[in-house]
């Protein structure tokens, strides 16, 4: 089974820079995002993974392609790793979402709440957990998982047994590295949301 996981959030997009909610919208990386991915690839060049598991959304897949070109490893797409679908909130900024605050609060308070076009949090949690369990059971010793801030936040909340009806305490910046390692039969966090390779960007 796997012994080390690199959890990598995709590089920056124009919507990230503008503070827009992305969800399932297929937004490409911007030039900064591509440079972020290149720097992360160089950082791990001496200890690359054997395989990259990747969300199907373009911003994650484009990040994975940049990494794979440097590391010379294959990419496998896993639909379960994509971000939470945000329906009518996608493409909106925080200010614009303020007009929809009541619906947003309802969605955040109740993990099973259903709002037209928005993926229920409980369903999101279920697929993310299944994807990460499958990743941890892979035969490759070292894997990279390229996905989204929401995906990784949801995984950590479930892994630590935190309630789904509370705001996530975790942050994952663009092109950040979070590293997990298997030690004495238990997974530990080696580094969380590390962006030291992006200091002057």
């Amino acid at each position: 089974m796997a012994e080390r996981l690199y959890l990598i959030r995709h590089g920056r997009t124009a919507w990230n820079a503008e503070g827009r909610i992305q969800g399932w919208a297929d937004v490409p990386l911007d030039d900064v995002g591509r440079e972020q991915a290149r720097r992360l690839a160089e950082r791990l060049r001496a200890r690359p993974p054997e395989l990259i598991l990747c969300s199907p959304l373009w911003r994650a897949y484009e990040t994975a392609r940049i990494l794979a070109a440097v590391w010379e490893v294959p990419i496998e797409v896993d639909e379960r790793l994509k971000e939470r679908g945000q329906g009518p909130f996608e493409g909106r900024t925080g200010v614009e979402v303020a007009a929809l605050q009541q619906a947003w609060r309802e969605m955040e308070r109740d993990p099973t709440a259903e709002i037209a076009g928005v993926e229920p949090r409980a369903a999101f949690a279920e697929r993310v957990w299944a994807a990460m369990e499958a990743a941890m059971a892979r035969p490759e010793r070292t894997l990279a998982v390229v996905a989204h801030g929401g995906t990784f936040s949801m995984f950590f909340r479930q892994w630590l047994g935190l309630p789904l009806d509370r705001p996530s305490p975790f942050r994952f910046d663009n092109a950040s590295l979070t590293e997990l390692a298997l030690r004495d039969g238990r997974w530990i966090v080696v580094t969380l949301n590390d962006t030291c390779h992006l200091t002057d960007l």
Side-chain angles (χ1 to χ4, degrees):
M1 62 185 298
E3 296 178 2
R4 187 170 301 274
L5 289 178
Y6 299 139
L7 307 185
I8 296 167
R9 187 183 175 197
H10 62 80
R12 196 184 83 169
T13 70
W15 279 21
N16 285 139
E18 295 166 6
R20 296 189 182 279
I21 295 169
Q22 294 180 113
W24 289 350
D26 234 354
V27 186
L29 300 182
D30 63 12
D31 289 341
V32 170
R34 294 183 187 97
E35 178 61 20
Q36 289 175 332
R38 284 191 284 269
R39 291 193 183 193
L40 180 54
E42 287 301 323
R43 177 179 176 179
L44 294 175
R45 183 189 281 272
R47 52 187 188 106
E50 297 163 58
L51 174 71
I52 298 173
L53 298 176
C54 180
S55 158
L57 296 174
W58 183 248
R59 58 193 182 272
Y61 188 69
E62 189 177 2
T63 301
R65 286 178 57 181
I66 293 169
L67 300 173
V70 173
W71 298 338
E72 298 181 342
V73 298
I75 299 170
E76 285 187 18
V77 172
D78 187 334
E79 290 280 339
R80 299 170 298 183
L81 290 170
K82 66 185 178 183
E83 182 61 278
R84 183 183 184 189
Q86 298 286 8
F89 302 112
E90 291 178 9
R92 298 178 186 268
T93 65
V95 173
E96 293 166 336
V97 166
L100 301 168
Q101 274 188 336
Q102 185 55 42
W104 183 271
R105 282 196 296 268
E106 163 105 12
M107 181 179 70
E108 291 302 292
R109 185 170 53 250
D110 181 1
T112 63
E114 295 193 25
I115 297 172
V118 178
E119 182 179 17
R121 190 185 296 178
F124 177 45
E126 183 177 354
R127 69 169 168 84
V128 166
W129 186 252
M132 293 303 298
E133 271 197 321
M136 289 173 160
R138 295 278 310 208
E140 294 85 3
R141 293 181 63 187
T142 303
L143 293 167
V145 179
V146 180
H148 310 272
T151 302
F152 295 140
S153 289
M154 181 55 74
F155 165 64
F156 266 75
R157 288 164 75 175
Q158 294 181 96
W159 187 31
L160 298 176
L162 302 180
L164 298 186
D165 61 350
R166 304 281 179 85
S168 173
F170 301 104
R171 174 185 174 92
F172 296 91
D173 293 314
N174 290 120
S176 63
L177 172 65
T178 295
E179 187 174 342
L180 307 182
L182 188 64
R183 303 271 174 83
D184 299 323
R186 297 178 60 190
W187 285 96
I188 65 166
V189 179
V190 177
T191 186
L192 180 67
N193 193 36
D194 187 345
T195 56
C196 67
H197 48 287
L198 307 176
T199 50
D200 60 344
L201 271 181

